[in-house]
Amino acid sequence: MSVDAQCRYEYEVFTRIKRGDQLVQIGTVEAETDELAHVYATFTYDEEDWVEMCVVRRDQITWVRKPEGLFAKKGAGEL
């Protein structure tokens, strides 16, 4: 069974070194499935003995507040 290279997703990787620490975003991985994202994150970011690590598919993030990009184009009729 082959996986089409066009079906890759980008995942944000979040970790915490010890209990009580802030959960921080440390990087990203690209993978075809959630299971592969887990494996890639584990091997890519193995420099610490993390107490927690999670991956979130970037297109599954729900934004509460998101700033405009620095070079965002204004819509028609805006100054």
Side-chain angles (χ1 to χ4, degrees):
M1 178 174 151
S2 67
V3 177
D4 186 359
Q6 295 177 353
C7 293
R8 293 178 67 93
Y9 301 100
E10 193 160 7
Y11 292 79
E12 301 290 335
V13 181
F14 297 90
T15 61
R16 163 178 357 247
I17 291 179
K18 60 184 177 185
R19 294 186 191 280
D21 284 353
Q22 294 287 328
L23 188 65
V24 295
Q25 193 268 354
I26 60 166
T28 61
V29 294
E30 287 187 13
E32 294 84 6
T33 66
D34 292 349
E35 293 78 17
L36 282 174
H38 293 183
V39 172
Y40 296 162
T42 299
F43 286 100
T44 302
Y45 301 103
D46 67 346
E47 68 273 6
E48 294 284 344
D49 187 21
W50 309 110
V51 70
E52 292 181 54
M53 178 184 282
C54 63
V55 292
V56 179
R57 212 167 91 180
R58 185 174 277 175
D59 66 350
Q60 297 296 313
I61 295 174
T62 302
W63 290 93
V64 174
R65 184 177 303 160
K66 184 177 181 181
E68 291 284 331
L70 292 176
F71 303 106
K73 293 183 180 182
K74 295 187 183 243
E78 292 184 34
L79 298 175

